Amino acid sequence: TSGAAQRPAVFGDVDRAARRVLATNWRRCATVPAAGLYPHQWSWDSAFIAIGLRHLSPVRAQRELESLFGAQWRDGRVPHIVFDPHVDPDAYFPGPSFWRSASAPGAPAVPTSGIVQPPAHALAAWLTYRADPAAARARGFLPRIYPRLVAWHRYLTARRDLTGAGLVAFVHPWESGMDNSPAWDAPLARITPAPTGDFTRRDLHHAAAAERPTDEDYGRYVRLARDYRDAGYADSLRVHAFAVEDPLGNALLAAGEDALAAMATELGRDPRPHLAAAERLSAALVSTLYDPAAGMFFPRDAHTGALIRSGSVGGLLPLIVPGLPVAAALIATARGDRFRLGQACPLPSYDLTAADHDPGRYWRGPGWINTSWLFWHGLRLHGETALADDLRRRLLERVRAAGFREYLDPLTGAGHGADDFSWTAALTLDLLR
Ligand code: 9YW
């Protein structure tokens, strides 16, 4: 990337502080997203964390991914949470007693959730390998992680293509990584919430209610997760009352197939099946989820077959797909009124011009470092160096002012949510390289 030589001296403190956050949040073999609020291992967090950790300790970055894949289910699914048995099981809701993975077929010995998160892992594993190929070879990192990544992608493409469109569906808002995105409002409205007496929210002990999902939404999350569990974590449109084909999830999968092709080549295997899969996913994304009039991608409701025309930042993130034919249009949309790339920073999670944009509430407006990092990565991939450098500079400025917060007001830069948030620190380290 840009090289340490170009790093302004003023960011030396940021660099040191980011390393401290990652050291503090490390637990034996993985990093917690934030002490207190998120005391276990989260799936896509670990991918982003590895991308930063690789600069600090390539071996720790490898272990971060290996510990997550150590909890992979026999069907290939990678659970969205791997519970730390040393932590009070009631510290986070829903915990192990809710998911009951121990009685699910093919689950690992360690307790996990039964849903997934966006597949950022192949990209992260490839970047981790690239950071220190010698250290990776010494530990047999690629031979170990590659088959697990292949099984993970196979679970998604085989079991989660619920409509036959060649796209993968998320079956719970938590799976999207963008829990309460306005994009999920319409499909969620069909779900009857579990009564609030059925569960105790732990998140509100750590964060302000005004910055978190509402109780009603939480009740719906609980209902969906419970139905999935009670169906033995089987995948079909009949089981899943909520099912959406999400642009970000499918884009990460396509970019991930590209990364798997690179790994296959490195391992002396045939990369062509992965390249073909990447092509197929990229074509399905564009033909099914792209809206040329809006200049962005939208999720599709797998039950109705209709696009959900709601301006989530996820609709810009297929920019990470190599060779995407509509990259220029996505960049133009990002620079327009809805996302104001070059002014608002981090990229807002939701259309700034929408009547229900909420700059402080979670995935309904605030900017997150991971989505901005993905857009930055995409800008560089498509040769937009000046825009990428400008975004990088603005992101670092924001983090320097606000600290390693979970999310930020994209207009004022005010920090929200958890402090010392791991992926914010990790991706900051990556931006500083
Ligand atoms: C929750 C851990 C996770 C992230 C998700 C984010 C949030 C968990 O935290 O979900 O309790 O709501 O939405 O993307 O992985 O950082």
Side-chain angles (χ1 to χ4, degrees):
T1 53
S2 331
Q6 291 174 22
R7 187 187 323 151
V10 67
F11 286 111
D13 290 345
V14 177
D15 187 274
R16 269 190 298 281
R19 288 163 185 266
R20 220 169 20 244
V21 168
L22 292 178
T24 309
N25 290 350
W26 177 258
R27 306 279 182 275
R28 287 171 296 278
C29 56
T31 309
V32 297
L37 186 56
Y38 307 122
H40 305 283
Q41 180 174 27
W42 260 259
S43 167
W44 81 325
D45 293 67
S46 279
F48 292 119
I49 290 164
I51 289 170
L53 264 185
R54 71 194 168 124
H55 303 296
L56 250 179
S57 162
V59 169
R60 244 172 74 196
Q62 293 164 32
R63 288 175 62 201
E64 179 83 38
L65 293 167
E66 286 164 356
S67 62
L68 178 68
F69 279 83
Q72 185 168 31
W73 291 30
R74 213 167 35 230
D75 63 9
R77 92 179 65 200
V78 174
H80 101 297
I81 301 175
V82 182
F83 292 104
D84 181 343
H86 300 86
V87 166
D88 169 12
D90 288 330
Y92 181 82
F93 177 84
S97 64
F98 178 90
W99 297 102
R100 300 185 198 149
S101 61
S103 42
V110 62
T112 73
S113 71
I115 58 170
V116 302
Q117 268 192 330
H121 315 87
L123 178 64
W126 178 242
L127 293 175
T128 296
Y129 170 77
R130 293 293 307 147
D132 192 342
R137 275 191 216 111
R139 295 184 66 256
F141 174 63
L142 278 192
R144 216 176 15 244
I145 203 82
Y146 169 82
R148 290 185 171 264
L149 288 163
V150 170
W152 164 221
H153 285 201
R154 191 176 302 131
Y155 166 75
L156 291 171
T157 49
R159 301 271 305 269
R160 289 299 191 86
D161 179 358
L162 300 178
T163 66
L167 292 168
V168 163
F170 287 140
V171 301
H172 194 294
W174 286 335
E175 291 201 326
S176 71
M178 302 191 182
D179 310 14
N180 66 339
S181 165
W184 313 141
D185 289 356
L188 259 190
R190 294 197 299 260
I191 313 299
T192 313
T196 44
D198 280 14
F199 57 92
T200 310
R201 294 183 63 170
R202 304 282 169 195
D203 57 322
L204 298 180
H205 299 180
H206 301 281
E211 299 182 358
R212 299 285 304 180
T214 61
D215 272 349
E216 233 199 340
D217 279 346
Y218 237 78
R220 295 189 167 103
Y221 302 154
V222 168
R223 160 86 52 190
L224 289 170
R226 191 186 282 166
D227 288 352
Y228 194 19
R229 176 196 72 196
D230 292 347
Y233 296 109
D235 290 307
S236 80
L237 265 187
R238 197 179 37 77
V239 168
H240 299 304
F242 175 98
V244 293
E245 292 162 345
D246 172 58
L248 173 57
N250 283 285
L252 282 165
L253 197 62
E257 284 295 332
D258 226 70
L260 285 179
M263 289 183 224
T265 303
E266 206 68 9
L267 290 167
R269 296 171 189 237
D270 186 1
R272 284 171 301 184
H274 297 303
L275 294 172
E279 289 265 322
R280 271 197 309 275
L281 279 158
S282 171
L285 257 170
V286 175
S287 67
T288 310
L289 303 186
Y290 185 64
D291 181 341
M296 65 187 292
F297 291 79
F298 290 124
R300 191 168 79 124
D301 188 324
H303 283 286
T304 65
L307 287 185
I308 305 167
R309 290 194 160 69
S310 168
S312 157
V313 69
L316 300 178
L317 297 179
L319 193 66
I320 62 170
V321 176
L324 188 83
V326 297
L330 290 183
I331 294 167
T333 303
R335 299 177 78 175
D337 286 353
R338 284 171 284 171
F339 295 94
R340 283 196 237 162
L341 175 70
Q343 300 158 48
C345 186
L347 264 183
S349 53
Y350 181 53
D351 184 343
L352 286 160
T353 65
D356 54 349
H357 175 95
D358 183 341
R361 194 187 283 270
Y362 223 41
W363 293 100
R364 305 183 75 91
W368 294 66
I369 302 298
N370 66 330
T371 47
S372 286
W373 183 92
L374 287 167
F375 199 78
W376 171 76
H377 174 76
L379 285 171
R380 295 167 81 227
L381 190 69
H382 292 279
E384 296 284 349
T385 317
L387 285 176
D389 286 348
D390 183 65
L391 175 57
R392 170 179 171 272
R393 199 166 42 242
R394 287 173 191 277
L395 284 169
L396 290 174
E397 229 1 279
R398 285 297 207 217
V399 171
R400 193 165 71 90
F404 304 107
R405 298 299 296 268
E406 191 177 4
Y407 39 97
L408 290 82
D409 183 315
L411 297 180
T412 67
H416 290 278
D419 207 347
D420 289 345
F421 191 64
S422 294
W423 83 37
T424 302
L427 296 174
T428 296
L429 270 184
D430 191 64
L431 292 170
L432 282 170
R433 289 312 96 181

